[in-house]
Amino acid sequence: MTAPDQLFAAAVAATGWPALLPAHRRDGSEQPTGRPSCVDALALDDGLVLAVVADGRERTYPVPLVVRRDGTGGVEVRRAEPGDGAAEALVARLAADRRDEGAFQVSRWHHREVTGERGITVDQTNESVVVGERAIVKWLVVADEGPHPAPTMLTALVQAGFGGTPRPWGAVEWRSARGSAPRLLALAVEHLPGAVDGWTWAVADLRAAAAGGDPGRAAEVGRRTGELVASFHAALAGTARPATAAEVAGWRTRAHVDLDRALEVTNGAARDVLAAMAASVRRAFDSVPVDAGTPVLRVHGDLHVGQVLRMDTDRGTSYSLTDFDGNPVLPAAERLREQPAALDAAGMAQSLVHAALVVRRHHSDLDGGAVERAGELAAASFLDAFRVGLGEHADLLDERLLRPFRLQQVCREFIYAATHLPRWSYVPEAALPMLLREDRP
């Protein structure tokens, strides 16, 4: 490092972790350890830097910084907040002809000049800033070992002309060493004003369907999501290949691992439900086909109704698919691996049933059976629309995998409730017996 760089690194270390993290990530579990160590930095504009900061375990954290130098040569830094211009500067950086700088790699898919920043205050894992009401810059809190699935997924969707996602603008990645996989630091996509996520709009629609005795409204929830997911998979059909025997065997193995983990961490009444039905779940997992050849392709990997945004405008209603981070519990290499289309289809179908269970939980005035039927109708409508929407790519869906993958998702909901959100336990407790009594996938 040059002398100024050393001063900058010293200032980062002296600032301490609380001032380097976004406010909503300054407490709770998974906090950085040890003293901050700046390992690299990308200049965004005068006084604005995107730093890569390591902790005592060598985990790396992307940190947008405001840098101030006083007249005596001293340096002060603090995390950039909305309004400081770091997100705006990153969007402008995407327009530069020079894509790479040192260990940093810049991808650009779209650009336009925008100014102004405001923060997003809803609950979020990372930190997002709206720029000029046109783009959203997401600063990742942790730059996990790469490669991150989003940049290559978005590149593939742009090349395929897929319009069912907020338009990607660009990304910044960083390599910790020559030849290492890139780590995602920041991502910029189109801002969709007024967009509502599926855990809001789908829950509202299913509630209205149950309250008004309107099965058509529940079916519409499934139909629109089915058409969207089918078009997404059709756009990625060029990535498809036959699964190997080892991959197929791995699906069965991972499903049993998830069930074992769910039984291990779940307690009380929830465990009683799971234990009573574990044998039936295992039989379903054992039905996963062991023959190679099932098509696999790039998939979303963490698909549920919350990943579908709905926009209501004067021009009508539209839907967009978001969040291509993949399954957050899997290692980076596995999140990039091709998977069966049934994995996404099962995740979405099951989440629609779960959305109805949320309605039933919070609206006891409604007939529970009517709410349950609305969720099941939405799930069935989703699968019907998905099958039709695949069109010439219908062979991507292996129907035999739908039921096992839906059961596996419920096992993961037990795990999530036990380890992160105990109040969510009512969902898998109700979903598991509903799914096991179904004759359809």
Side-chain angles (χ1 to χ4, degrees):
M1 283 186 172
T2 64
D5 290 331
Q6 291 173 347
L7 289 173
F8 172 73
V12 171
T15 299
W17 285 114
L20 296 176
L21 297 174
H24 71 284
R25 295 297 298 269
R26 291 172 186 168
D27 56 16
S29 60
E30 289 299 309
Q31 292 297 301
T33 63
R35 193 181 189 195
S37 173
C38 182
V39 295
D40 212 339
L42 175 69
L44 299 175
D45 202 348
D46 290 341
L48 295 169
V49 169
L50 175 55
V52 181
V53 184
D55 74 353
R57 295 170 296 184
E58 298 186 352
R59 294 193 77 184
T60 48
Y61 297 76
V63 184
L65 291 172
V66 175
V67 183
R68 294 288 181 262
R69 299 180 186 273
D70 59 33
T72 65
V75 178
E76 294 182 353
V77 301
R78 63 172 174 81
R79 185 180 181 91
E81 299 176 352
D84 286 326
E88 182 181 318
L90 181 126
V91 171
R93 182 71 167 71
L94 297 176
D97 291 335
R98 183 180 57 194
R99 299 295 178 87
D100 300 340
E101 183 173 314
F104 293 92
Q105 176 179 315
V106 179
S107 300
R108 186 185 81 165
W109 302 293
H110 172 71
H111 178 261
R112 65 180 299 171
E113 293 185 6
V114 288
T115 58
E117 295 181 349
R118 67 174 176 86
I120 294 180
T121 58
V122 298
D123 290 344
Q124 52 185 317
T125 301
N126 299 293
E127 182 183 27
S128 296
V129 179
V130 178
V131 183
E133 300 303 318
R134 295 284 186 176
I136 293 180
V137 169
K138 179 169 71 173
W139 304 111
L140 275 73
V141 172
V142 181
D144 287 321
E145 182 179 350
H148 193 283
T152 55
M153 173 66 81
L154 292 173
T155 296
L157 293 176
V158 168
Q159 292 174 345
F162 179 67
T165 188
R167 188 174 189 174
W169 284 40
V172 178
E173 298 172 278
W174 173 80
R175 297 179 186 272
S176 60
R178 184 182 297 275
S180 64
R183 304 183 183 201
L184 183 63
L185 307 181
L187 182 68
V189 300
E190 177 186 11
H191 173 51
L192 302 176
V196 180
D197 79 84
W199 288 117
T200 299
W201 68 260
V203 167
D205 279 13
L206 292 175
R207 177 183 180 277
D214 184 2
R217 188 160 186 175
E220 179 73 357
V221 172
R223 182 183 70 82
R224 295 301 296 265
T225 52
E227 291 172 347
L228 177 64
V229 178
S231 66
F232 167 69
H233 282 177
L236 296 170
T239 69
R241 61 170 176 80
T244 66
E247 286 175 318
V248 175
W251 303 336
R252 176 184 291 182
T253 299
R254 280 192 293 274
H256 281 291
V257 168
D258 283 339
L259 174 57
D260 291 339
R261 175 64 174 161
L263 288 166
E264 176 187 349
V265 300
T266 304
N267 297 303
R271 193 185 190 286
D272 292 341
V273 171
L274 183 58
M277 301 182 179
S280 296
V281 175
R282 290 194 191 282
R283 285 194 294 271
F285 289 163
D286 286 337
S287 72
V288 172
V290 295
D291 52 303
T294 291
V296 291
L297 71 163
R298 286 296 300 273
V299 299
H300 187 285
D302 188 31
L303 194 58
H304 54 77
V305 71
Q307 312 286 28
V308 179
L309 302 179
R310 183 168 77 182
M311 289 71 64
D312 293 311
T313 68
D314 294 340
R315 299 177 181 178
T317 301
S318 60
Y319 296 80
S320 288
L321 199 59
T322 66
D323 192 356
F324 299 101
D325 295 346
N327 188 333
V329 304
L330 295 178
E334 289 192 37
R335 285 185 281 160
L336 283 171
R337 186 172 296 160
E338 294 87 355
Q339 299 285 351
L343 181 69
D344 280 353
M348 181 61 77
Q350 194 58 36
S351 75
L352 293 170
V353 173
H354 297 171
L357 294 175
V358 172
V359 174
R360 192 176 71 177
R361 176 77 167 189
H362 295 285
H363 298 280
S364 57
D365 57 309
L366 297 177
D367 177 75
V371 175
E372 192 175 296
R373 288 190 294 274
E376 292 176 326
L377 176 57
S381 178
F382 164 80
L383 290 171
D384 288 343
F386 179 71
R387 294 179 181 107
V388 172
L390 285 176
E392 63 180 311
H393 305 294
D395 62 332
L396 292 177
L397 178 61
D398 188 334
E399 297 275 353
R400 301 171 298 175
L401 297 173
L402 285 171
R403 189 177 182 81
F405 280 162
R406 289 181 68 174
L407 286 166
Q408 183 179 16
Q409 183 58 46
V410 175
C411 289
R412 290 175 174 174
E413 302 294 343
F414 276 107
I415 296 169
Y416 176 71
T419 58
H420 290 88
L421 194 66
R423 67 177 182 271
W424 182 250
S425 182
Y426 73 90
V427 168
E429 286 181 53
L432 185 59
M434 286 174 61
L435 188 53
L436 285 174
R437 74 170 180 252
E438 290 182 359
D439 293 329
R440 56 185 180 275

